């Protein structure tokens, strides 16, 4: 619960401070990189940590993750420029890549599917508390102190989480030799980095049809294909391709891609939308965003009873109905900004995501044994991270296109004009609706798999 809290608070505390950060450091159009670089580092490291966890055990990996997250937080708090802050966010992302999946994997190890229905309520309570604490702290620090404290606040949390894990968590791991798939990890990192770079900088640093753009897309695709071939030959692949050959694991991974993109689309643009279009205070914008992360743990804590009754697929489909209602309402009303409508829409989306993310992950976990569960959990959360990383890049490209069309003064400023922010946010919310439709299709494709009522 403590380690989950690190990622949970970080998921919301930064978004409310973004307008203040870019006002201080400059470069309004660069702010999507604060999310992209973090999510990219998290995404590419999750499979590596997951594989190591299945060979070395969960405890050393989660402790390494906490250490990296702590280091990144300290450096972010000391950042002197936007490029430096972006670079230090990458270190934070490398830590989060170990923290989040290891917490979920440990819960999968020590509880049965039925027990996890109850335990999920405890884990969901962490998100419930963090959903209020994160945006509130982000708004308070930005409005009354300094945005740097949104990173420094992680220091005591990291220390406390590490100490508690050292004292309370004990595992028995059979030592065995392992081979790290450095080639696969390198190819995957290079491919995703180039593709995200191409999406975010297309139309900004270079034209979409320029040699630089075509080269980035082309080389990224080549590296991604090379990664596929490398994984087929690797003794211990960083992301085993068998994960994506099983129907349940593939469909649940596609759902996770959509969940990640929807989540980052709202958490990264809702505060900017409210602060830029309406001029609301960071604290108010943070509380509106908190409605999303309040709805998520409420429904996640109740989802166990539901999927034990009607199955994982049906629960996820019910959740996607709520998600579609929320994002459509948000996009439809974006031309008439209202804090109350945004908060209500986010709350409905959060309710839906709680019924989608948890059941699909547990469905994937419960279909394998201990020695595969780390990889499966890592692959599922890797998919969510990729969805978030690619999603924020695409949404950022959509928004930056509108900023650029408004003129170089707006695109390079530390702030943007309200009408431009409103138009850009509306376009992003429409893109989130399209993403939600894709996620519905992925949820429909899930097999009807009842939960297995046995120790796993």
């Amino acid at each position: 619960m403590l380690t989950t809290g690190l990622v949970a608070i970080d998921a919301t505390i930064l978004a409310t401070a973004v307008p203040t950060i870019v006002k201080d450091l400059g470069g309004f159009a660069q702010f999507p990189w604060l999310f992209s670089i973090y999510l990219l580092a998290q995404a590419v490291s999750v499979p590596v940590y997951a594989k190591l966890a299945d060979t070395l055990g969960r405890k050393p990996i989660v402790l390494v993750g906490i250490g990296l997250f702590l280091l990144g937080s300290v450096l972010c708090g000391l950042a002197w420029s936007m490029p430096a802050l972006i670079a230090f966010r990458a270190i934070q992302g490398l830590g989060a890549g170990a923290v989040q999946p290891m917490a979920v994997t440990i819960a999968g190890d020590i509880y049965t599917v039925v027990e996890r229905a109850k335990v999920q309520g405890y884990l969901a309570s962490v998100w419930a508390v963090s959903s209020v604490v994160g945006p509130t702290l982000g708004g308070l620090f930005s409005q009354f102190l300094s945005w740097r404290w949104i990173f420094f606040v992680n220091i005591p949390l990291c220390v406390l989480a590490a100490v508690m894990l050292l004292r309370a968590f004990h595992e028995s791991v059979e030592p065995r030799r392992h081979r790290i798939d450095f080639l696969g990890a390198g190819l995957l990192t290079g491919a995703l980095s180039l593709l995200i770079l191409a999406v975010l900088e297309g139309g900004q640093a270079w034209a979409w049809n320029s040699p630089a753009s075509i080269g980035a897309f082309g080389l990224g695709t080549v590296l991604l294909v090379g990664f596929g071939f490398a994984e087929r030959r690797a003794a211990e692949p960083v992301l085993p391709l068998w994960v994506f050959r099983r129907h349940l694991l593939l469909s649940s991974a596609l759902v996770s891609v959509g969940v990640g993109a929807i989540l980052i689309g709202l958490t990264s643009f809702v505060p900017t939308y409210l602060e830029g279009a309406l001029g609301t205070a960071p604290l108010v914008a943070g509380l509106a965003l908190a409605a999303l992360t309040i709805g998520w743990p409420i429904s996640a804590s109740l989802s166990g009873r539901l999927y034990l009754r009607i199955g994982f697929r049906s629960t996820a489909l019910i959740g996607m109905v709520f998600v579609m209602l929320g994002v459509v309402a948000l996009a439809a009303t974006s031309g008439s900004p209202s804090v109350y409508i945004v908060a209500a829409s986010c709350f409905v989306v959060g309710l839906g995501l709680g019924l989608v993310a948890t059941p699909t992950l547990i469905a994937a976990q419960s279909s394998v044994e201990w020695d595969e569960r780390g990889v499966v959990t890592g692959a599922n959360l890797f998919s969510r991270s990729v969805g978030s990383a690619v999603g924020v890049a695409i949404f950022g490209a959509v928004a930056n296109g509108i900023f650029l069309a408004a003129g170089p003064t707006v695109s390079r400023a530390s702030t943007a004009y309200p009408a431009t922010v409103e138009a850009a946010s509306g376009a992003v919310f429409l893109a989130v609706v399209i993403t939600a439709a894709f996620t519905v299709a992925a949820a429909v494709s899930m097999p009807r798999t009842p939960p297995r009522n046995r120790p796993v």
Side-chain angles (χ1 to χ4, degrees), residues 417-428:
Y417 299 107
T420 308
V421 174
E422 183 180 312
S425 300
V428 169

Side-chain angles (χ1 to χ4, degrees), residues 151-413:
F151 299 107
F152 290 147
V153 75
N154 291 329
I155 296 174
L157 295 176
C158 288
V159 173
L160 180 60
V163 170
M164 291 297 291
L165 274 169
L166 286 168
R167 293 182 59 185
F169 179 55
H170 308 283
E171 62 180 344
S172 177
V173 181
E174 181 182 346
R176 61 188 181 94
R177 298 181 62 184
H178 57 277
R179 299 174 63 182
I180 306 300
D181 181 18
F182 290 110
L183 176 61
L187 289 171
L188 181 62
T189 302
L192 292 179
S193 300
L194 284 169
L195 293 174
I196 289 174
L197 176 68
V199 172
L200 266 180
E201 296 299 332
Q204 294 287 319
W206 51 65
W208 287 106
N209 59 352
S210 67
S213 180
I214 296 172
F217 276 116
L219 183 56
T221 302
V222 169
L223 291 179
L224 198 59
V225 172
F227 168 74
F229 282 108
E231 296 306 271
R232 295 178 63 181
R233 303 184 59 180
E236 295 185 32
V238 66
L239 186 62
L241 298 183
W242 59 259
V243 171
F244 301 106
R245 286 197 290 265
R246 300 182 188 178
H247 188 185
L248 174 60
L249 300 183
L250 174 60
S251 56
S252 63
L254 291 175
V255 170
S256 289
V257 170
V259 168
I262 293 168
L263 183 62
I264 198 64
L266 299 185
T267 55
S268 58
F269 281 92
V270 161
T272 301
Y273 168 61
L274 292 176
E275 294 178 46
L278 282 180
T280 59
L283 180 59
V284 175
L287 292 175
L289 177 62
L292 185 149
T293 42
I294 289 174
W296 184 320
I298 289 174
S299 58
S301 62
L302 299 174
S303 65
R305 300 178 184 178
L306 196 56
Y307 65 65
L308 289 175
R309 233 177 239 268
I310 64 175
F312 298 113
R313 177 178 178 270
S314 298
T315 303
L317 289 174
I318 293 173
M320 284 311 304
V321 171
F322 282 96
V323 172
M324 286 299 299
L325 288 174
V327 296
V328 168
L330 194 60
T333 60
S334 61
S336 305
S338 167
V339 174
Y340 301 106
I341 293 176
V342 169
S345 300
C346 286
F347 181 73
V348 173
V349 173
L351 287 176
L353 290 177
L355 294 175
V356 175
T358 301
T360 51
L361 174 58
I362 294 179
Q365 284 183 328
S366 63
S367 67
V368 298
E369 304 300 331
W370 186 94
D371 60 338
E372 294 180 338
R373 193 169 298 124
V375 168
V376 167
T377 303
N380 191 277
L381 296 180
F382 164 78
S383 300
R384 187 186 301 182
S385 297
V386 168
S388 293
V390 175
V392 76
I394 294 174
F395 300 147
V398 170
N400 284 341
I402 294 177
F403 293 146
L404 190 64
T409 302
V410 173
S411 65
R412 293 177 190 149

